[in-house]
Amino acid sequence: MKKKFYTLIFLIFCSAASICQPQAYHWYFGNHGGLDFSSGSAVAVNNSAMSTDEGCSSISDASGNLLFYTNGADVYNFLHQLMPNGTGLLGHISSTQSSLIVQKPGTTDHFYIFTSDAGAYLDPPNIGVHFSEVDMNLNSGSGDVIAATKNTVLLNTAAEKLCATRHANGSDIWVLAHGWNDSTFYAYIVTSTGVNVIPDSSVIGSVHNGSDDNTIGQMKFSPQGDKLALAVRIAGFFELFDFNNATGAVSNSILLQIPQFLTAYGLEFSPDGSSLYVSTDSFNSLYQYDLSSGNPTAIINSLITVGTISGGAGSLQLAPDGKIYMAHYIGTNGNQYLGRINFPNILGNGCNFVNNAVNLGTGKSYFGLPNFISSYFLFTGISENKTLNYFSVYYDHLNNSLKINFDHVDRNSAIAIRLIDLNGKEILHETVVKVNSEIILNELKTGIYIFEAENREFNFNRKIFIYR
């Protein structure tokens, strides 16, 4: 059984082996909708220049500053202006996952935008998956799409599915697409030298064909990168797989069929990877599967309903605050609200789905939310460097406590623990000597705090996000 506490750590110093969340702080989606997570919680912003029915992606730098965003056709910079060469990308505003932004490993200023065309209602119906490169040094530092690599073809026909996770080597990125009229997953590796246009492929699971609407539906990696799930809309089912992030291989298909006809669309994994949430708009319902057993029969039989949705159910997306947000569409002008699963690691109704959780102000949501590399939401205690891989700290939301483990540290040397808010005020100062310690916290406001641990062997500093 996986541990049921949230590991919400933000590194002060990020290395190639670490995983940081600030790249996902800024969300732009729907009809000029937006959210800013840089304060530690979701704050609506209404400065978006973009409108999209479904797919979109946005990216911030390692300090959480917005860089650019896209609907798969047009690219907008942090000034909310079209990049000069940022139109005519071969995604589509009506593609489920029209776009996905991946930073080029080893750089801070080069990014790839992967695009997937809409499969339904278009003529021609499907022109597949492409990528374009953005250089943030161009256009006086506000970025431009490099003409020479714009709309480089990867796959001629495809489902409306794009997702990404970090490679097992800690630096490269896997980007996954799914073919059309076949059961093939196409895995591309993004490295410091570019995009590997010859994919690693896996033939497994259902054949995606029939109605053009069967191209529709999200595909997601778990934050840990070991699981993969997808939705096939009109066929009305979800599939769950294992993923090997060292080889790119997809294996062990499990068919997840809701016991009545439905149209499948959105899905997302819990932060700890123990649950899968799926949305349907046939019955306006949100469902949860318990994945913790690893047993296919037990997973299938674990299905429960955890929420009722107003309007058509859309995308689900894990956020930097450890919560899962849902787009749901009402009427022709979109929806002023997003739904939210407040405690997604918890099984059953304790996950606490709220239908109208976030007011978007003048912005509106349709079916889509931004598409990110799933590894941005891997909330684990990651060491600052290899010499500190014996120390970890976790925030346990259920018990409102810090869990501290320092195996292999000199046990005769007490560790001084401090928690400091961003104004420099010391909130907590204790000494711990037990290998596995728990510090109960007083009532704290949701936000980012500085965690410090020190003894004669080491000094450990982290930003830690605590939410109530």
Side-chain angles (χ1 to χ4, degrees), residues 13 20 227 457:
F13 302 103
C20 310
K227 297 290 183 183
E457 295 182 51

Side-chain angles (χ1 to χ4, degrees), residues 3 5 390-396 401-407 409 415-419 428 430-441 451-453 458 460 464:
K3 295 178 180 178
F5 47 74
Y390 44 65
F391 190 97
S392 63
V393 56
Y394 306 89
Y395 172 56
D396 180 351
S401 65
L402 294 176
K403 305 279 191 176
I404 299 167
N405 186 299
F406 49 99
D407 282 341
V409 178
I415 298 176
I417 300 296
R418 299 175 71 216
L419 197 64
L428 176 148
E430 290 192 23
T431 300
V432 298
V433 294
K434 291 175 60 178
V435 171
N436 294 295
S437 298
E438 180 177 28
I439 298 176
I440 303 298
L441 301 175
F451 174 88
E452 294 183 353
F458 72 98
F460 183 95
I464 184 167

Side-chain angles (χ1 to χ4, degrees), residues 195-425:
V195 179
N196 173 24
V197 297
I198 301 174
D200 295 275
S201 60
S202 299
V203 180
I204 189 173
S206 65
V207 174
H208 292 205
N209 62 6
S211 166
D212 285 342
D213 273 357
N214 279 332
T215 67
I216 298 171
Q218 285 185 293
M219 181 169 70
K220 291 285 190 77
F221 286 111
S222 65
Q224 296 75 18
D226 60 344
K227 297 290 183 183
L228 173 74
L230 61 79
V232 181
R233 180 174 167 78
I234 295 301
F237 61 82
F238 303 86
E239 286 183 292
L240 177 68
F241 304 87
D242 290 330
F243 182 74
N244 186 324
N245 66 353
T247 67
V250 180
S251 61
N252 300 325
S253 172
I254 302 175
L255 181 67
L256 302 175
Q257 181 81 57
I258 310 296
Q260 62 265 358
F261 176 78
L262 57 85
T263 49
Y265 191 94
L267 53 84
E268 183 60 284
F269 290 89
S270 61
D272 67 359
S274 67
S275 297
L276 176 68
Y277 293 88
V278 300
S279 69
T280 71
D281 57 8
S282 298
F283 297 97
N284 297 334
S285 295
L286 176 68
Y287 300 89
Q288 180 195 70
Y289 286 96
D290 179 3
L291 310 182
S292 61
S293 68
N295 179 276
T297 301
I299 291 171
I300 292 168
N301 292 336
S302 71
L303 174 70
I304 59 171
T305 304
V306 293
T308 301
I309 305 156
S310 60
S315 295
L316 293 166
Q317 178 58 52
L318 187 55
D321 61 4
K323 304 177 183 184
I324 295 175
Y325 290 76
M326 168 182 276
H328 46 113
Y329 178 89
I330 300 176
T332 58
N333 294 320
N335 189 353
Q336 187 179 352
Y337 294 90
L338 293 181
R340 183 169 64 199
I341 305 168
N342 286 314
F343 311 119
N345 283 342
I346 298 178
L347 292 175
N349 290 323
C351 69
N352 188 224
F353 172 71
V354 179
N355 184 66
N356 291 328
V358 181
N359 188 324
L360 297 174
T362 59
K364 300 291 189 294
S365 76
Y366 286 117
F367 279 101
L369 288 174
N371 195 10
F372 294 103
I373 299 172
S374 68
S375 309
Y376 287 161
F377 310 102
L378 180 58
F379 302 122
T380 55
I382 302 172
S383 298
E384 181 177 304
N385 55 54
K386 291 182 180 180
T387 66
L388 295 182
N389 60 12
Y390 44 65
F391 190 97
S392 63
V393 56
Y394 306 89
Y395 172 56
D396 180 351
H397 176 272
L398 296 181
N399 296 311
N400 189 30
S401 65
L402 294 176
K403 305 279 191 176
I404 299 167
N405 186 299
F406 49 99
D407 282 341
H408 308 304
V409 178
D410 181 356
R411 300 184 186 189
N412 295 316
S413 177
I415 298 176
I417 300 296
R418 299 175 71 216
L419 197 64
I420 304 165
D421 69 19
L422 294 184
N423 292 319
K425 180 181 178 181

Side-chain angles (χ1 to χ4, degrees), residues 148-195:
T149 60
K150 186 175 179 179
N151 292 325
T152 300
V153 64
L154 289 175
L155 190 59
N156 289 323
T157 59
E160 299 177 5
K161 293 171 168 58
L162 284 174
C163 61
T165 191
R166 195 171 297 277
H167 193 284
N169 63 21
S171 59
D172 300 337
I173 302 294
W174 289 108
V175 174
L176 198 70
H178 196 287
W180 180 240
N181 285 323
D182 62 32
S183 57
T184 305
F185 292 90
Y186 298 89
Y188 303 90
I189 303 176
V190 183
T191 72
S192 60
T193 62
V195 179

Side-chain angles (χ1 to χ4, degrees), residues 23-30 33-35 37 50 52 54-59 68-71 96-101 162 218 220 268 315-319 325 327 338 365 367-373 377:
Q23 290 88 342
Y25 275 0
H26 296 277
W27 293 20
Y28 289 93
F29 55 88
L35 291 176
F37 288 91
M50 183 180 73
T52 180
E54 298 183 67
C56 48
S57 188
S58 52
I59 192 72
F68 63 92
Y69 53 101
T70 181
N71 56 16
T96 308
Q97 292 171 301
S98 67
S99 50
L100 176 65
I101 300 169
L162 284 174
Q218 285 185 293
K220 291 285 190 77
E268 183 60 284
S315 295
L316 293 166
Q317 178 58 52
L318 187 55
Y325 290 76
L338 293 181
S365 76
F367 279 101
L369 288 174
N371 195 10
F372 294 103
I373 299 172
F377 310 102

